Amino acid sequence: MMESGQHPRRLSGWLADARRRIIDVDDGLALLMRCQRKDVIGCDLLDLIHPDDRHGVRETLELIARDQIPLACTYRITDREGAALWVESHIGSTLAVGLRHYHATVDPEEQAIGEDTSAKLRAAAERILTKRRLRAQYFGEDMFGEPAFDLLLELFVRAHEGRDVHTTSAAVASGAPLTTALRQITALVDRGYIQRGADPVDRRRVLLQLTPTGMATMHGYLDAAERV
């Protein structure tokens, strides 16, 4: 993940066709990717996205095309050197003369910096997430799956980074199909581990966060796991 300040924080965007081929990007996005616009145009959109996030973005695009509603999505783009940068996109779809296009704004997310009193436990959660994603990479996503636990790990890490997590981006992070992830979110809400809240900036979006019970339980588990 790139350090905060490496890239200017400016809104940019991309335009893609129904096959996810990039039709156009603006200079801001090309700058983020350390390339020129001509190097990106014609590429598959998913090729610009971190491998761990491609499945979720693909499902988000399919959901947008099916329901004709714009969605917010958080994912990582990769630059020409392979470095990753977290961005948030508002993605929409239009249908004109029988041709579908996707359009999105791209907003680089600020990365949390400074001393974190729970850095050890956050690092433990990040290691678990990385190992689980490696397992899926080697054995296939359909062999194993615990989306509820992945959701808790993701929310724990993001909370200690001081970053908001929206429902769609949490679902992407779980690695499960979108409908499955949404069911798991509801189950975790019902059990009192996470809670939903309105985004004060964009009321169309829903934020997720661990409840005090969820945070205390994750602290207890990670601390115990580190001592095994």
Side-chain angles (χ1 to χ4, degrees):
M1 223 179 265
M2 297 180 185
E3 297 290 334
S4 179
Q6 276 188 273
H7 294 289
R9 185 176 176 86
R10 57 176 291 186
L11 198 64
S12 51
W14 52 258
L15 177 68
D17 63 20
R19 296 182 300 164
R20 302 190 306 266
R21 294 289 173 185
I22 295 292
I23 299 172
D24 195 14
V25 299
D26 63 12
D27 292 331
L29 185 56
L31 178 62
L32 287 176
M33 301 185 67
R34 306 185 195 214
C35 65
Q36 299 181 28
R37 292 175 57 234
K38 63 181 180 63
D39 298 323
V40 179
I41 294 172
C43 294
D44 188 317
L45 169 65
L46 297 182
D47 289 342
L48 312 181
I49 294 172
H50 191 282
D52 290 346
D53 302 335
R54 289 173 186 168
H55 177 73
V57 173
R58 184 189 298 112
E59 286 210 330
T60 298
L61 293 176
E62 292 171 354
L63 189 62
I64 291 170
R66 187 193 72 191
D67 295 343
Q68 292 296 293
I69 56 172
L71 291 173
C73 183
T74 303
Y75 55 89
R76 286 163 289 181
I77 58 174
T78 53
D79 65 20
R80 296 292 295 274
E81 300 176 8
L85 171 71
W86 282 101
V87 300
E88 182 176 12
S89 284
H90 283 79
I91 308 174
S93 174
T94 56
L95 188 63
V97 198
L99 299 176
R100 181 171 302 284
H101 294 90
Y102 296 101
H103 50 87
T105 58
V106 177
D107 186 16
E109 291 200 337
E110 294 286 356
Q111 304 297 310
I113 59 175
E115 190 70 23
D116 192 328
T117 58
S118 298
K120 179 181 176 182
L121 296 184
R122 183 184 69 185
E126 289 176 326
R127 285 196 300 273
I128 294 172
L129 277 172
T130 299
K131 290 176 180 178
R132 291 165 72 83
R133 287 165 180 163
L134 279 172
R135 185 180 66 180
Q137 178 181 330
Y138 279 90
F139 294 99
E141 293 182 351
D142 57 336
M143 288 291 295
F144 311 100
E146 297 172 88
F149 188 46
D150 285 333
L151 283 163
L152 291 172
L153 287 168
E154 183 75 13
L155 289 173
F156 183 88
V157 170
R158 301 307 165 215
H160 286 286
E161 291 177 344
R163 289 175 50 193
D164 292 335
V165 180
H166 299 98
T167 299
T168 304
S169 56
V172 169
S174 76
L178 187 58
T179 53
T180 299
L182 292 176
R183 286 197 300 270
Q184 294 297 322
I185 289 171
T186 298
L188 290 169
V189 170
D190 291 342
R191 296 191 181 199
Y193 291 120
I194 67 175
Q195 61 190 9
R196 299 184 179 100
D199 186 333
V201 177
D202 186 344
R203 306 292 293 184
R204 297 170 299 177
R205 301 186 299 181
V206 176
L207 297 176
L208 297 178
Q209 65 180 126
L210 292 170
T211 62
T213 297
M215 182 64 75
T217 302
M218 289 299 292
H219 267 278
Y221 165 78
L222 292 167
D223 183 60
E226 284 291 278
R227 290 185 277 107
V228 171

